Amino acid sequence: MGVLHPSSTTGVLPSLTQKRMKQVKLLFMGLCLAACSTQSRDNLETLNAAGAGDADSKLARRVSGTWLLSTDYRYQERCNYLPEEFVKNLFNLGKDVELEKYSGLNNCELRWGKNKIGFYLESKKPFESTFQSEYHFNKLFEPQANIAEEQTNQPKPTIYGPAPEGTGAEFPATEESTTQQQDSTRGADPSAPLEGITAPSPPIATPAKNTATGEAITEVGDKAIWEPGKKSLHVLYNNHVFSVVVQAPGSVAQAKKGAISLAKLIAHSLDDPSDANHG
């Protein structure tokens, strides 16, 4: 029986090692593919459960897109809505004016001397619906609007789903499958204006009207009333009701202009979905 000389095995060992390494790599790749497949399947099951109402409620809010309208939304610290530099520039106060912050549960005031710029929320969290916030706004600042609505006894138009007008539901029953009028909302004349077509989305709130002490404003929010006697601007914006008060040197017109600009900034800040600096 012959004996292998050590020098004759130098080509055998590397080939065996390379073969073993290839096997280990293939095994590792198989494990990775299995893990990734399992993870994808778990993600799919999670999404399916979310659709069935069995998943985490936070995930459901993200999918449905109702997070900003949720009453779980937390307002920022009230004085965050009144940036000092912005207020100084807006009302031309000058850099030497020192503003002192006075923050309450639902309000913030920037004071200097006998003057102040104030921001006041009507609730510690957003109202559950825009209809509730509008009713509260009307009750405080435009009471005749609620009275007029109660007298008409007409339900407010819904903002969910299409209205039946313009869909053919208003035509009487007929044995014929179609009519010329149903085939075209313009009738026989294709150049005629459209009939029976409702607005794509009804207004969220009824436009404000002048009151005994206030002036209707259309430049800010969904509804706003300016009270010149108090230099106060009251705003309805989605589920929020807030006021801006300007007790500063200058004319009523200047105070009104500044209050509108500040209210627009506040409304924009209310749309911020970030959790930073919320309380």
Side-chain angles (χ1 to χ4, degrees):
M1 183 176 180
V3 179
L4 291 175
H5 192 272
S7 61
S8 65
T9 63
T10 56
V12 178
L13 291 178
S15 61
L16 292 176
T17 302
Q18 291 176 359
K19 186 175 181 181
R20 181 59 59 87
M21 290 180 64
K22 288 182 179 179
Q23 292 177 347
V24 172
K25 288 181 179 179
L26 290 175
L27 178 62
F28 181 74
M29 291 176 62
L31 292 174
C32 288
L33 290 174
C36 293
S37 176
T38 302
Q39 184 178 9
S40 300
R41 184 170 61 253
D42 292 342
N43 291 339
L44 180 59
E45 291 175 354
T46 300
L47 292 175
N48 290 336
D54 298 329
D56 183 78
S57 59
K58 293 182 179 180
L59 175 61
R61 287 195 186 97
R62 294 192 190 101
V63 173
S64 62
T66 60
W67 186 83
L68 282 178
L69 297 182
S70 170
T71 53
D72 293 335
Y73 176 83
R74 295 176 295 166
Y75 288 123
Q76 296 183 25
E77 292 293 339
R78 307 308 179 252
C79 283
N80 286 357
Y81 294 104
L82 298 180
E84 291 188 38
E85 292 301 320
F86 181 85
V87 171
K88 284 184 177 182
N89 294 332
L90 184 62
F91 294 96
N92 299 318
L93 300 182
K95 297 182 179 180
D96 296 334
V97 175
E98 295 292 335
L99 299 179
E100 298 181 4
K101 293 183 179 179
Y102 291 83
S103 180
L105 179 62
N106 292 318
N107 61 78
C108 176
E109 295 178 349
L110 298 181
R111 302 179 187 177
W112 70 104
K114 296 181 179 180
N115 309 302
K116 69 177 181 180
I117 307 293
F119 163 63
Y120 309 88
L121 276 165
E122 288 298 330
S123 60
K124 62 181 180 180
K125 62 181 181 180
F127 290 87
E128 294 183 2
S129 72
T130 305
F131 298 137
Q132 290 182 0
S133 60
E134 182 183 7
Y135 182 86
H136 186 82
F137 177 92
N138 293 343
K139 183 179 179 181
L140 293 177
F141 311 116
E142 193 186 357
Q144 71 271 21
N146 284 344
I147 296 174
E149 184 175 341
E150 291 171 358
Q151 288 177 346
T152 58
N153 198 26
Q154 294 292 329
K156 291 181 66 64
T158 178
I159 61 175
Y160 303 103
E165 292 82 358
T167 61
E170 68 275 17
F171 293 106
T174 177
E175 295 181 358
E176 300 179 4
S177 59
T178 60
T179 66
Q180 187 178 20
Q181 188 177 8
Q182 287 173 323
D183 288 338
S184 173
T185 56
R186 293 180 173 88
D189 184 6
S191 63
L194 290 172
E195 297 179 359
I197 302 300
T198 57
S201 59
I204 293 179
T206 304
K209 295 183 179 179
N210 295 337
T211 66
T213 59
E215 171 191 353
I217 302 296
T218 58
E219 295 97 334
V220 60
D222 299 305
K223 194 172 187 176
I225 290 181
W226 166 253
E227 287 190 284
K230 299 179 180 180
K231 290 187 176 181
S232 302
L233 179 65
H234 312 294
V235 179
L236 167 69
Y237 180 66
N238 288 339
N239 294 34
H240 321 284
V241 178
F242 65 90
S243 298
V244 175
V245 176
V246 179
Q247 295 182 0
S251 65
V252 174
Q254 291 173 330
K256 174 184 173 182
K257 182 179 179 181
I260 290 175
S261 297
L262 186 54
K264 288 181 178 180
L265 174 67
I266 292 172
H268 177 74
S269 300
L270 290 172
D271 283 334
D272 184 6
S274 172
D275 284 334
N277 297 323
H278 281 58

